Amino acid sequence: MKKLPIGLSDFKELIQEKYYYIDKTNLISEVIDNSAKIVLLPRPRRFGKTLNLTMTKYFFDVEEDNRELFNNLNMACFISSLHFFNLKFHRSMDFSP
């Protein structure tokens, strides 16, 4: 039986421990398609801001292979095609709180 991810904010833990997850990986394509220098993602309190940032971090991470985290999610088809893109893009992203 799947567990509810109450208080969880790490995407990798959420997927690996098989918690319920509503697929929000389309946010990644919105960030890629956006031509703005800064992307602001305002959300109300307890609405998954940190979870979305960790999801984006794991998607663009070049130091660790996280492709299996995105199996069966909307962005799974982009994983192999974006691998070459990660090296340049990842260095320009800042995930600091």
Side-chain angles (χ1 to χ4, degrees), residues 19-87:
Y19 283 90
Y20 279 109
Y21 177 67
I22 296 173
D23 191 354
K24 296 180 184 177
T25 56
N26 286 334
L27 173 72
I28 296 170
S29 64
E30 290 178 26
V31 170
I32 292 170
D33 293 340
N34 193 333
S35 62
K37 286 185 177 186
I38 297 172
V39 178
L40 178 63
L41 303 170
R43 300 283 191 272
R45 184 172 172 248
R46 310 276 312 153
F47 240 71
K49 293 179 293 290
T50 305
L51 180 60
N52 286 336
L53 283 175
T54 61
M55 173 189 62
T56 307
K57 180 186 116 185
Y58 288 120
F59 186 81
F60 289 110
D61 192 3
V62 294
E63 303 193 3
E64 185 178 350
D65 186 7
N66 293 307
R67 284 180 270 193
E68 75 282 350
L69 297 177
F70 295 91
N71 290 344
N72 304 317
L73 298 176
N74 290 337
M75 293 303 290
C77 59
F78 293 103
I79 291 288
S80 59
S81 62
L82 282 178
H83 189 67
F84 73 95
F85 178 68
N86 289 350
L87 290 171

